[in-house]
Amino acid sequence: QQQVRQSPQSLTVWEGETAILNCSYENSAFDYFPWYQQFPGEGPALLISILSVSDKKEDGRFTIFFNKREKKLSLHIADSQPGDSATYFCAASTGSFNKLTFGAGTRLAVCP
Amino acid sequence: DAGVTQTPRHEVAEKGQTIILKCEPVSGHNDLFWYRQTKIQGLELLSYFRSKSLMEDGGAFKDRFKAEMLNSSFSTLKIQPTEPKDSAVYLCASSLGANTGQLYFGEGSKLTVL
C-alpha cells in the first residue's frame, strides 16, 4: 500500500524551464511534508518542507504548493539548471516529524 | 562535522548468507533510521530507534531483518538469510530528534544477492 504517490516517475525539462513534480497522499492525518533531493551515489538530503497549515512555501527557486482538501502537493523548480538533475522524494509524517513515509521518487533530468 | 557513515559501501552475497551492515550516526543525534531503497518501492522504513530504544521494527521486514543499536554511536542491520530480492541500497539516517523533521542520510550500502 503506497501511502505517498509521486508522478511522473521521470521528467525531462530544458534548462530555464519550470519543472513540476507532483505528490499525493492518502492519510489525512499527515501534517508535515518534506521534499528530499538525491544525487547518484549519495543519500537523500532535505531540500524544502511544508506544514499542513500552509498552502505555499518558497525557498529560492523551489516552491511547494499544498492543497489539503485534495491531499495533493507539488514541487516547482523555477529556472531549472543541469545541476538540479536528481531524484526528488516527497515524504509525509504525522505527529513525529522524524518518522517519514516516502514516495517512490521522481527522476528529473535538466538538459542544457 | 562527520556525517552519517555507512560500511561497507558495496556488498555481494550468495543466497542464504548472513550479512551485517554498519552505521555510525551523526554525533549527538538521538534518532536513527534504517531504510531500504529500490527503484520500484522507493524508500521503505526498516527500523527506527530513539535514544537507542527500538520504536518501530518494520512489519514485513521482521522475519529476516534485525537492526540493533549497541550504543548511541553505532548501529547494525543484519539480514539472515539473504535472498536475491534483498538486493537494494540500504540507507541509514539520523536526526537530532525532538521532531526536527530533518533526517541526515548516509551514502548507503549497496547489497547484491546472487
Side-chain angles (χ1 to χ4, degrees):
Chain A
Q1 182 188 358
Q2 194 72 270
Q3 289 204 56
V4 177
R5 290 191 175 88
Q6 291 186 247
S7 64
Q9 279 189 315
S10 62
L11 176 66
T12 300
V13 299
W14 294 105
E15 183 174 356
E17 290 185 332
T18 296
I20 300 175
L21 289 65
N22 300 304
C23 179
S24 63
Y25 60 97
E26 297 177 5
N27 186 347
S28 56
F30 284 148
D31 53 11
Y32 171 68
F33 302 88
W35 285 82
Y36 279 75
Q37 179 188 54
Q38 183 180 33
F39 295 106
E42 299 181 9
L46 179 63
L47 180 65
I48 186 173
S49 63
I50 193 168
L51 293 170
S52 60
V53 294
S54 302
D55 55 16
K56 182 180 176 182
K57 176 78 173 289
E58 279 183 88
D59 185 356
R61 296 185 294 108
F62 301 91
T63 302
I64 299 174
F65 292 93
F66 179 67
N67 185 323
K68 188 171 184 175
R69 184 179 59 84
E70 295 188 8
K71 296 187 203 169
K72 291 182 178 178
L73 58 158
S74 59
L75 174 67
H76 291 224
I77 305 174
D79 187 25
S80 296
Q81 302 296 310
D84 296 330
S85 298
T87 299
Y88 292 81
F89 292 97
C90 173
S93 72
T94 175
S96 168
F97 287 174
N98 291 345
K99 184 170 168 292
L100 299 172
T101 298
F102 285 86
T106 292
R107 181 179 289 184
L108 174 67
V110 181
C111 297
Chain B
D1 280 346
V4 176
T5 303
Q6 290 190 246
T7 55
R9 292 294 313 277
H10 301 274
E11 179 80 60
V12 178
E14 297 282 341
K15 178 183 173 182
Q17 266 188 282
T18 296
I19 65 102
I20 297 176
L21 306 177
K22 304 179 182 110
C23 174
E24 295 176 38
V26 175
S27 177
H29 280 191
N30 295 316
D31 286 3
L32 185 138
F33 304 83
W34 283 98
Y35 283 91
R36 183 171 80 170
Q37 182 176 17
T38 60
K39 280 191 168 62
I40 295 174
Q41 296 292 337
L43 283 85
E44 300 170 282
L45 180 66
L46 301 175
S47 293
Y48 165 32
F49 294 88
R50 171 159 282 187
S51 300
K52 300 187 294 180
S53 296
L54 184 63
M55 305 299 290
E56 182 152 334
D57 195 2
F61 297 98
K62 276 184 183 175
D63 56 346
R64 297 181 298 106
F65 292 73
K66 184 176 177 60
E68 290 185 312
M69 196 151 187
L70 305 177
N71 57 57
S72 61
S73 59
F74 186 71
S75 176
T76 59
L77 175 67
K78 180 191 287 187
I79 308 175
Q80 177 184 35
T82 52
E83 299 181 5
K85 66 181 179 180
D86 300 331
S87 298
V89 175
Y90 291 83
L91 291 164
C92 177
S94 69
S95 175
L96 262 177
N99 295 333
T100 59
Q102 181 164 7
L103 272 59
Y104 293 82
F105 283 86
E107 294 178 319
S109 293
K110 183 175 182 179
L111 173 65
T112 302
V113 183
L114 306 174

